[in-house]
Amino acid sequence: MDTAALIIRDVSLGYQSLEVVSRISLDLKNQELVCLLGPSGCGKSSLLRAIAGFQPLSSGEIWLSDRLLSSISWSVPPEERRVGMVFQDIALFPHLSVEANIGFGLADWSELNRRERINALLSLIGLEGLGPRYPHELSGGQQQRVALARAMAPKPNLLLLDEPFSGLDTELRGRLASEVRTILKSDGICALLVTHDQREAFDFADRIAVMSDGRISQIDTPFNLYHEPKNRFVAHFVGQGETVNAIIHGPRSVKSPLGILSTDQDLPYPLNTPVQLFLRPDDLIHDDSSDYLAKLVRKHFRGAHHLYEVQLDSGVVLGCFAPSHHNHEIGEQIGVRLDVEHLVVFPLDLKEEGSANVHIEQPF
């Protein structure tokens, strides 16, 4: 076997006759932070349970640090896997202090080493001096950090996090995901996070595996997932965006309702092939000085910016970002301009379009 920390090879999982994970392969490097991102029911939590030893495999193998954990004929008990787990419900012991909670899994350590590890973790999670307190005396974010420290305390070879921030408010979730990343990197722990929240995944992970219907649709860095999605599901799940019909105009260009658009890479389609162009709100920018006008049909205030939905002369409606102080009214004609360097193009979905005959209206 190779030296990756976690190796998942051709793993399938099912409940009775229902397959929920289908032939997934995934490697985690030492000290790497990876996220399983996907909608409810896609199989991500089932895969996490299988790694922890709570779910038998239908096929494949799971290895950790060159040790076989699971196959269809072999399974190491959960308590012997050296895998830590942080759950959604935190589940701290209410009758134990913070330091007793953190040290719960260190019963076989010497008192000196146990105390040193607890103090080091209290410092790492930013709760120095709070060891004597009890869970009910802490905020939700502090409780979550204590749960993380308790799972980290025995120095597991792998840490699994099953939607641990879902009970917190949106702002705290984003901040805590980033803090947890820093803590895990500081302690050199390899970890796998399960979430359906894109922002959490971006704040936490070195790489993200986007799951759909029991399979991995794409695994990549957050930047590449956003800018170079491999299919429509990934494009729409990782951020907002709309598809518009287009035609391949050249090796690196398409003809679209927005005119002739060029990209920085060769497109894998013959000339005149009907395709769909995927555009995000940050590809179309509001610019009062632009000669190109579009009709504002909907707007969404986001604090630092507006997300405008604008209708082009062709009838196409696209998202468009604007600074929050540019507060235009519905129905107003506003200036827009393109800011596209890399085109995201998919084959035309004939089942959705009903025909491969795509007519491109006059550009705006």
Side-chain angles (χ1 to χ4, degrees):
M1 305 299 292
D2 61 36
T3 58
L6 175 68
I7 301 172
I8 300 170
R9 283 286 175 268
D10 208 28
V11 163
S12 297
L13 305 170
Y15 299 96
Q16 298 178 347
S17 60
L18 177 64
E19 187 175 66
V20 295
V21 169
S22 180
R23 298 197 172 279
I24 279 184
S25 293
L26 176 66
D27 292 357
L28 271 69
K29 303 180 185 69
N30 287 312
Q31 302 184 29
E32 186 179 27
L33 305 181
V34 173
C35 175
L36 296 176
L37 175 67
S40 298
C42 72
K44 56 188 187 296
S45 289
S46 295
L47 182 58
L48 210 70
R49 288 176 54 81
I51 298 168
F54 302 131
Q55 173 70 29
L57 308 188
S58 302
S59 72
E61 296 177 341
I62 299 175
W63 293 72
L64 181 62
S65 301
D66 294 330
R67 179 191 184 198
L68 178 63
L69 295 186
S70 295
S71 68
I72 58 174
S73 59
W74 174 259
S75 181
V76 175
E79 65 274 13
E80 297 177 13
R81 294 193 171 210
R82 292 198 54 79
V83 173
M85 195 155 187
V86 180
F87 296 96
Q88 180 175 336
D89 60 2
I90 304 179
L92 294 177
F93 300 113
H95 63 291
L96 297 181
S97 67
V98 166
E99 55 192 8
N101 265 281
I102 294 174
F104 183 79
L106 306 179
D108 57 344
W109 289 38
S110 70
E111 181 58 31
L112 177 61
N113 290 340
R114 184 173 181 271
R115 173 53 52 190
E116 287 180 347
R117 181 62 173 163
I118 291 171
N119 289 339
L121 286 170
L122 283 170
S123 176
L124 190 61
I125 64 175
L127 297 182
E128 305 99 319
L130 300 187
R133 291 193 183 183
Y134 287 84
H136 71 274
E137 298 177 293
L138 304 178
S139 68
Q142 290 173 328
Q143 290 179 20
Q144 194 64 69
R145 278 182 276 168
V146 173
L148 175 67
R150 183 178 64 182
M152 292 169 57
K155 297 187 177 180
N157 293 331
L158 174 69
L159 186 64
L160 305 177
L161 301 103
D162 190 7
E163 304 213 37
F165 315 121
S166 61
L168 306 175
D169 64 76
T170 302
E171 185 62 31
L172 180 57
R173 287 171 66 170
R175 187 170 72 250
L176 196 56
S178 182
E179 289 178 0
V180 168
R181 172 184 171 83
T182 301
I183 291 168
L184 294 176
K185 286 291 185 181
S186 298
D187 210 42
I189 290 181
C190 174
L192 185 62
L193 168 73
V194 159
T195 184
H196 61 273
D197 186 286
Q198 168 205 315
R199 179 180 172 184
E200 267 180 40
F202 282 9
D203 285 336
F204 176 86
D206 298 318
R207 290 188 299 150
I208 299 171
V210 180
M211 289 188 63
S212 174
D213 297 326
R215 298 178 182 271
I216 293 179
S217 294
Q218 183 176 348
I219 180 166
D220 218 322
T221 63
F223 182 91
N224 287 345
L225 284 175
Y226 187 84
H227 291 287
E228 300 181 14
K230 300 299 184 186
N231 56 51
R232 289 179 183 82
F233 174 80
V234 174
H236 285 284
F237 196 81
V238 182
Q240 297 172 293
E242 299 293 337
T243 53
V244 298
N245 289 337
I247 297 172
I248 298 296
H249 181 261
R252 295 190 173 191
S253 63
V254 299
K255 182 182 179 183
S256 77
L258 303 135
I260 305 299
L261 304 180
S262 298
T263 187
D264 54 0
Q265 297 178 8
D266 289 344
L267 298 170
Y269 306 101
L271 295 181
N272 299 318
T273 301
V275 293
Q276 287 189 321
L277 174 66
F278 184 78
L279 294 171
R280 297 197 184 277
D282 48 329
D283 293 326
L284 190 65
I285 307 298
H286 169 47
D287 185 351
D288 286 324
S289 65
S290 175
D291 294 330
Y292 300 116
L293 300 180
K295 182 181 179 181
L296 179 57
V297 293
R298 284 179 291 276
K299 65 179 184 179
H300 311 275
F301 184 64
R302 296 289 188 259
H305 66 271
H306 288 285
L307 172 59
Y308 285 155
E309 294 181 54
V310 297
Q311 186 176 48
L312 310 181
D313 288 343
S314 62
V316 172
V317 176
L318 296 174
C320 169
F321 283 139
S324 62
H325 58 276
H326 286 231
N327 189 24
H328 294 282
E329 299 299 327
I330 301 295
E332 191 175 340
Q333 294 284 330
I334 65 172
V336 295
R337 61 176 173 84
L338 285 170
D339 184 17
V340 183
E341 293 183 4
H342 179 79
L343 298 182
V344 177
V345 177
F346 300 122
L348 187 69
D349 191 334
L350 298 181
K351 291 184 294 186
E352 292 183 2
E353 298 298 326
S355 170
N357 298 318
V358 177
H359 175 66
I360 301 301
E361 300 287 345
Q362 182 69 24
F364 70 91

